[in-house]
Amino acid sequence: MSLASSSAFSSLASLGWDDAWAEEFAPYAAQGLVPGRVVRVDRGQCDVLTADGIVRADTAFVTPHDPLRVICTGDWAVVDPDGAGDPRYVRTYLPRRTSFVRSTSSKRSDGQILAANVDHAVIAVSLAVELDLGRIERFLALGWESGAQPLIVLTKADLVPDPVTLAHLVQDVETTAPGVQVLPVSSRTGEGMDVLGAVVAGGTSVLLGISGAGKSTLANALLGADVMEVQEIRDVDGKGRHTTTTRNLLALPGGGVLIDTPGLRGVGLFDAESGVGQVFSEIEDYARECRFHDCAHEAEPGCAVREAVERGELPERRLDSYRKLVRENQWIVAKTDARVRAEIRRDWRLKGAEGRANYAAKRGGRA
């Protein structure tokens, strides 16, 4: 019988414990330590669900200078066994399969890890207000970069009773999110909830979105109980207050695990080059046909991307959003990577030299 299916770990199997995790944990098991999944982190301590139930543990052993290596909701923790000390301690955590990271608003541009070991990134977008496609693209970039499979949930679909209008809204988001399922749902009427429940039953899902997107209501609908606090949304702008203030891991009655997160005011990229490329895959496909490999898709001759815009195949808004996210990601990476900073400066110098040479050639031609 495998460790994942043995009686000692049966309560953890519903949280995602499997043979691969058991194999990773084997050296710690030999030391008498126990595994558990982090369900909540706050003030240097965390709640960890072990085979014997939830324990409170100190995270002093896993507080490195790198903010991306701190203990996080969704981590599989290595914990002192009962009686090994008071308080108990998380000694370390198992290597993460996936991690959802954004940049902080600090001037240091540190990364902040929001959730770990996630299979599905559920992005909640409210239909009570006008769609912000640029924000959706930003969430998607972080979702793809995490290694999880993104899913866009259009909440409050009951506020759009006209099926034709709803279909157009779904199509707009699908165009913005190639390769991503877009699901309109209503926690009030139950529309789409069976499909969403089936998706999240297959692993660990993190629920993301801005305040007022309906995340807490959605979580309650999936849980079948009013576990998460819900507050009224302002009629003026459709925004709400942060009812969820910590990231909580919750076991769903239909199977699977849900990590609910506070509403995000800022969704900054953090080293998300591949995620951006996935969101704008059609632009990157066009870019392979550009005459110059380092084409900026602005005014260069032989730019296949600009030609696609002129033919009406690629919306100008998509290209503008792509440029914005690429620049933002380059800036974040440059602030944390000296080699990248040097490459960017070298690129600027080369382009500056080319510009001066072109200007001198033009003046010489006129002479």
Side-chain angles (χ1 to χ4, degrees):
M1 181 181 294
S2 69
L3 282 173
S5 58
S6 68
S7 59
F9 296 100
S10 59
S11 63
L12 295 184
S14 62
L15 299 181
W17 185 260
D18 57 28
D19 288 339
W21 287 123
E23 185 176 353
E24 290 275 4
F25 188 78
Y28 302 108
Q31 300 173 37
L33 301 171
V34 298
R37 193 149 196 204
V38 178
V39 299
R40 187 170 181 267
V41 180
D42 66 282
R43 296 178 184 149
Q45 293 189 320
C46 62
D47 293 330
V48 183
L49 184 56
T50 70
D52 296 324
I54 290 184
V55 301
R56 188 73 169 166
D58 196 296
T59 64
F61 284 97
V62 280
T63 53
H65 295 298
D66 184 351
L68 298 182
R69 297 179 62 191
V70 299
I71 199 77
C72 176
T73 301
D75 275 326
W76 283 102
V78 178
V79 187
D80 284 327
D82 191 20
D86 186 19
R88 297 171 71 169
Y89 287 94
V90 173
R91 294 295 174 177
T92 185
Y93 57 84
L94 300 183
R96 293 161 177 159
R97 294 179 181 175
T98 63
S99 56
F100 195 96
V101 180
R102 68 163 178 173
S103 68
T104 66
S105 57
S106 70
K107 292 182 179 179
R108 294 183 300 171
S109 300
D110 291 329
Q112 178 190 21
I113 183 165
L114 301 180
N117 302 313
V118 171
D119 301 295
H120 306 285
V122 180
I123 302 166
V125 179
S126 174
L127 290 175
V129 294
E130 185 177 355
L131 291 174
D132 186 335
L133 299 179
R135 181 183 291 131
I136 292 174
E137 289 162 343
R138 185 176 288 272
F139 269 111
L140 282 172
L142 295 181
W144 282 122
E145 189 68 30
S146 75
Q149 171 66 48
L151 165 67
I152 297 176
V153 174
L154 302 179
T155 65
K156 308 177 187 180
D158 54 285
L159 298 181
V160 188
D162 178 27
V164 175
T165 301
L166 181 59
H168 283 310
L169 292 171
V170 171
Q171 185 177 29
D172 286 344
V173 178
E174 287 176 338
T175 302
T176 301
V180 176
Q181 182 179 6
V182 179
L183 181 64
V185 304
S186 170
S187 301
R188 188 177 70 82
T189 67
E191 176 186 355
M193 292 303 300
D194 55 340
V195 179
L196 178 59
V199 172
V200 298
T204 299
S205 302
V206 62
L207 191 53
L208 304 159
I210 65 170
S211 297
K215 297 190 308 302
S216 295
T217 302
L218 199 61
N220 286 336
L222 290 169
L223 290 163
D226 291 337
V227 175
M228 308 306 296
E229 182 183 357
V230 178
Q231 292 185 348
E232 293 298 321
I233 306 302
R234 299 196 297 254
D235 291 333
V236 175
D237 54 12
K239 295 181 179 179
R241 289 174 287 175
H242 294 287
T243 54
T244 303
T245 57
T246 58
R247 289 174 282 281
N248 303 284
L249 186 145
L250 309 161
L252 298 172
V257 174
L258 181 70
I259 299 177
D260 192 22
T261 64
L264 301 177
R265 290 189 179 92
V267 194
L269 301 185
F270 186 82
D271 198 3
E273 180 180 357
S274 64
V276 173
Q278 190 104 16
V279 176
F280 299 94
S281 57
E282 82 278 30
I283 295 180
E284 302 228 326
D285 287 341
Y286 283 123
R288 294 187 183 96
E289 304 300 323
C290 289
R291 182 182 302 176
F292 304 108
H293 75 278
D294 59 347
C295 183
H297 318 308
E298 293 178 351
E300 297 90 341
C303 175
V305 174
R306 289 301 318 172
E307 290 172 1
V309 172
E310 292 165 5
R311 290 194 303 266
E313 298 175 7
L314 177 66
E316 186 80 44
R317 187 207 67 79
R318 284 278 285 173
L319 179 55
D320 290 341
S321 184
Y322 171 74
R323 288 201 195 102
K324 179 179 179 181
L325 294 186
V326 167
R327 285 195 300 267
E328 178 182 328
N329 192 68
Q330 288 176 338
W331 182 82
I332 288 293
V333 172
K335 284 186 70 92
T336 57
D337 191 319
R339 180 184 59 81
V340 173
R341 286 198 301 272
E343 289 178 354
I344 289 176
R345 284 196 296 267
R346 184 166 60 251
D347 184 55
W348 285 346
R349 286 196 298 269
L350 288 173
K351 288 187 175 180
E354 289 173 1
R356 288 190 295 272
N358 289 338
Y359 178 70
K362 289 181 180 177
R363 290 193 62 184
R366 283 196 298 269

